[in-house]
Amino acid sequence: NVFCLVLGTKKMEYKTRQWHEKCFCCCVCKSAIGTKSFIPREQEIYCATCYEEKFATRCVKCNKIITSGGVTYKNEPWHRECFTCTNCNTSLAGQRFTSRDEKPYCAECFGELFAKRCTACVKPITGIGGTRFISFEDRHWHNDCFICATCKTSLVGRGFITDGDDIICPECAKQKLM
């Protein structure tokens, strides 16, 4: 502890502590605070720039400070504009998305890249939005695509017969045998 007496200098005061004007400085960069904004933390005084550098929340993607409106994903902070689909870079903030291997994907990319495909229409079966589907052996169908190859009647909840790659209802199977 050094006792310092400087005549003719201003006294700076914060709560119950006092400093000479030139001694009232940032604990990191040592620049005088003067009339600039400062942030107290525990017993230390920081200029706004040093405080941000040391304590501000940073985006995990770009490592820049998040000043407002961030997104949390997997308990990590992101800027809204940095939180994008791993495949197409479309913003996911406020959108429905899913993940695979800890990486976020928009519904469209996830379906194109990873989802099972409907045997009839070849489009992805994503399950997003409550899409129901039927699976039989190694084949899958959207509920609306699970129809008789001959009469186009829905086979959901009904019996069916396989006819090569096709599925047909029992009535059409009987007609084929006659």
Side-chain angles (χ1 to χ4, degrees):
N1 247 353
V2 175
F3 179 72
C4 181
L5 177 62
V6 180
L7 297 175
T9 63
K10 290 182 185 173
K11 177 176 73 171
M12 305 302 282
E13 207 169 305
Y14 175 71
K15 293 198 174 177
T16 59
R17 298 171 66 199
Q18 297 177 1
W19 296 263
H20 294 114
E21 184 178 25
K22 68 176 186 165
C23 297
F24 189 59
C25 58
C26 173
C27 67
V28 176
C29 70
K30 307 299 183 208
S31 64
I33 301 291
T35 59
K36 296 185 288 186
S37 297
F38 68 93
I39 296 103
R41 185 174 173 122
E42 296 165 0
Q43 294 298 310
E44 304 288 347
I45 301 293
Y46 295 85
C47 68
T49 304
C50 288
Y51 186 86
E52 272 191 358
E53 282 299 316
K54 188 167 177 117
F55 300 109
T57 302
R58 293 186 174 273
C59 174
V60 296
K61 185 172 183 179
C62 72
N63 202 36
K64 292 181 182 167
I65 292 169
I66 299 173
T67 55
S68 66
V71 172
T72 300
Y73 172 68
K74 301 281 185 190
N75 291 322
E76 294 182 315
W78 302 67
H79 289 108
R80 290 178 66 83
E81 59 273 12
C82 290
F83 187 58
T84 60
C85 173
T86 302
N87 187 57
C88 71
N89 286 321
T90 300
S91 176
L92 297 176
Q95 304 299 317
R96 287 209 275 195
F97 69 93
T98 191
S99 65
R100 183 169 181 143
D101 301 326
E102 304 291 316
K103 295 176 183 172
Y105 293 89
C106 66
E108 191 172 321
C109 285
F110 186 84
E112 289 299 321
L113 295 169
F114 307 114
K116 294 173 177 151
R117 298 220 171 242
C118 177
T119 300
C121 72
V122 196
K123 291 181 182 168
I125 300 172
T126 62
I128 292 173
T131 304
R132 294 184 178 189
F133 64 97
I134 314 298
S135 291
F136 176 71
E137 294 174 345
D138 288 332
R139 297 187 287 172
H140 315 280
W141 295 266
H142 294 103
N143 264 18
D144 293 344
C145 298
F146 193 62
I147 59 174
C148 174
T150 305
C151 70
K152 309 301 181 204
T153 303
S154 174
L155 297 175
V156 175
R158 297 180 57 197
F160 62 93
I161 311 293
T162 57
D163 183 24
D165 286 340
D166 292 333
I167 52 169
I168 56 176
C169 66
E171 291 80 18
C172 290
K174 284 180 196 169
Q175 293 293 326
K176 271 195 150 185
L177 293 175
M178 294 181 162

